[in-house]
Structures are given as C-alpha cells and as structure tokens.
Amino acid sequence: MAIERTLSIIKPDGVKRNLIGKILQRFEENGLKVAAMKLVHLSKKEAEGFYAVHRERPFFESLTTMMSSSPVVVQVLEGESAIAKNREIMGATNPANASEGTIRKDFAVSIEENTVHGSDAPETAAQEIAYFFSSTELVNAS
C-alpha cells in the first residue's frame, strides 16, 4: 500500500456546527494524519475556481454560494491509501445513501450541505492540494 495525500474540506455547515474536532478525530482514528491545515473563508471567485470542473452542472451556483458563505477547514490528509480511506470515512455524497457510521450519515444536513469534501483520485488530489497549499506548507506527517 502506498502512502498518499488527499485534500479534505470541512464545509461551512460542519464548521458552523462546531464539528471540526469530531471530524478530525474520525480521520485520525482511521490512520490518517494531518500534513497541513488552515481555516479559510473562500470568496465566491475562489469557490468557483476550485469547483470549475462542475461549472456546467445545475448545482454549480448553489454549491459555490454555499462554499463561500462562511469559513471552511482545508486540510491535507496523509496515510496508506489516503484517498480511498478518506472517501470511505466520508460516506456517499448523498447522506441518505451513506453507510452507518460515516461522516455524511452522521453529520450531513443535505446532499449539498454534506459536511465534507474529499479528493476522488491521485491527479485530483494533487490539483486540489496545490489550489490551497504551497509546498512549504506541507509537512511529512508519517
């Protein structure tokens, strides 16, 4: 198994409801370590840039509005198969379809306010990490 890095975001609904510590605990209890973290308030333009791949999708406007509505926690998680492990811990995008014990099943408000974001592939993870962090901000957590 390879040590990977993935981007994780605790979305505005998670930050507003003081779930940062509970969510971080889930990652850490499952073997993921924080390699970088910061609290940021995305502008609408920054949210649009981050989610540009979804620009033509019907949910783009509401997603970028929600993501720029209040602060988010952006973090780089590191560990064995970190991308797949993070996605497993998060659960399905639609909390109604998420497995019991996942972050989205336990904390999500709706399909849009689903509390967390995670990279879906190594290439995406590299792009998403670079969107928020310079190489000097990343530490070797392993």
Side-chain angles (χ1 to χ4, degrees):
M1 297 240 187
I3 298 295
E4 295 178 326
R5 287 184 168 166
T6 187
L7 184 81
S8 170
I9 301 176
I10 302 175
K11 294 180 177 183
D13 63 290
V15 174
K16 285 182 208 174
R17 293 181 292 137
N18 279 338
L19 297 174
I20 297 168
K22 289 178 182 177
I23 292 169
L24 287 175
Q25 183 176 5
R26 300 252 181 129
F27 295 136
E28 291 178 335
E29 286 174 346
N30 283 281
L32 296 175
K33 296 180 179 182
V34 176
M37 180 189 310
K38 55 186 160 184
L39 181 70
V40 298
H41 192 152
L42 299 175
S43 68
K44 178 78 162 151
K45 184 176 179 179
E46 290 168 328
E48 290 172 347
F50 182 74
Y51 286 107
V53 66
H54 298 303
R55 187 169 301 282
E56 302 304 318
R57 306 290 288 273
F59 58 81
F60 179 76
E61 179 61 31
S62 63
L63 173 63
T64 56
T65 296
M66 183 271 299
M67 287 298 291
S68 60
S69 67
S70 67
V72 298
V73 173
V74 291
Q75 57 197 334
V76 177
L77 300 176
E78 181 178 280
E80 286 189 20
S81 302
I83 296 166
K85 188 174 285 189
N86 180 38
R87 295 188 70 74
E88 179 183 326
I89 295 164
M90 288 189 312
T93 302
N94 185 343
N97 300 331
S99 298
E100 291 297 326
T102 62
I103 292 169
R104 288 177 173 152
K105 185 67 165 187
D106 293 345
F107 301 126
V109 175
S110 66
I111 192 167
E112 187 170 273
E113 290 185 309
N114 61 10
T115 312
V116 286
H117 164 90
S119 304
D120 62 2
E123 302 79 21
T124 311
Q127 292 170 345
E128 291 181 345
I129 289 168
Y131 192 84
F132 289 107
F133 296 96
S134 70
S135 60
T136 60
E137 294 177 294
L138 301 170
V139 298
N140 185 355
S142 297

